[in-house]
Amino acid sequence: NVASMRWDEIDGNIWTIPAEKFKATKREKAKAHEVPLSAELLKIVAQMPKIGPYVFGPTGAKQLRLGSREKDRLANRAEVSEWRLHDLRRTAATLMTEGKIPRFVVERVLGHADRSVTAVYDRASYRDEKLEALNQLAETVK
């Protein structure tokens, strides 16, 4: 989702991933997902030139494409092999839970659906908790 982040999806420090871009088991149940941007990510975004609709990408006119060349470059810098881009998501979730972020908040950060009975009544966005988790993650990987 970050590779296709658009300027019009960002409002202050909140990035809203539209429902049509958000993966869901049942497409008709997909909802927009609100992601508070960590201070570190806000610094990176602020440095990006506004030359097209996309925040990241070679010209701003097209989204960033993470192909095998970019993945290999990351693997070489990190000195790892045999991994998938989805492993970054797993690693982030693990680092957050190891940093004492409650699993429930990590699920909200990842955009996982809450299927509990309480979810019917609880309509909170957990914006502050998600921001705290993402700031802590940014400090961990910095």
Side-chain angles (χ1 to χ4, degrees):
N1 286 317
V2 173
S4 65
M5 180 188 285
R6 296 174 55 99
W7 290 108
D8 60 358
E9 296 169 351
I10 300 171
D11 184 15
N13 75 331
I14 301 297
W15 169 35
T16 302
I17 303 170
E20 60 271 10
K21 285 173 56 176
F22 201 71
K23 276 188 173 180
T25 306
K26 296 179 180 178
R27 291 302 272 164
E28 68 277 1
K29 295 210 176 210
K31 295 179 183 167
H33 178 58
E34 190 179 272
V35 181
L37 302 176
S38 69
E40 288 299 317
L41 187 53
L42 279 173
K43 286 179 195 174
I44 293 168
V45 168
Q47 294 174 8
M48 300 305 296
K50 290 187 178 183
I51 54 177
Y54 294 97
V55 177
F56 303 107
T59 65
K62 294 182 180 178
Q63 72 179 51
L64 180 64
R65 297 279 183 209
L66 291 174
S68 59
R69 185 173 49 191
E70 291 83 5
K71 183 181 169 284
D72 289 344
R73 197 174 313 143
L74 282 171
N76 288 335
R77 284 187 69 187
E79 299 177 1
V80 297
S81 60
E82 301 299 321
W83 67 284
R84 301 179 188 285
L85 288 171
H86 195 77
D87 292 335
L88 297 173
R89 192 171 159 89
R90 288 186 190 100
T91 300
T94 300
L95 290 173
M96 284 186 278
T97 55
E98 286 177 346
K100 307 300 183 219
I101 299 296
R103 183 177 280 179
F104 178 81
V105 174
V106 174
E107 290 173 348
R108 301 292 71 75
V109 169
L110 297 175
H112 291 174
D114 183 1
R115 302 190 191 286
S116 70
V117 173
T118 307
V120 173
Y121 304 101
D122 181 4
R123 299 297 185 186
S125 70
Y126 293 92
R127 183 183 286 178
D128 293 341
E129 293 85 352
K130 291 190 292 187
L131 179 58
E132 180 183 333
L134 290 167
N135 278 327
Q136 180 179 315
L137 176 63
E139 285 299 314
T140 302
V141 299
K142 192 158 111 174

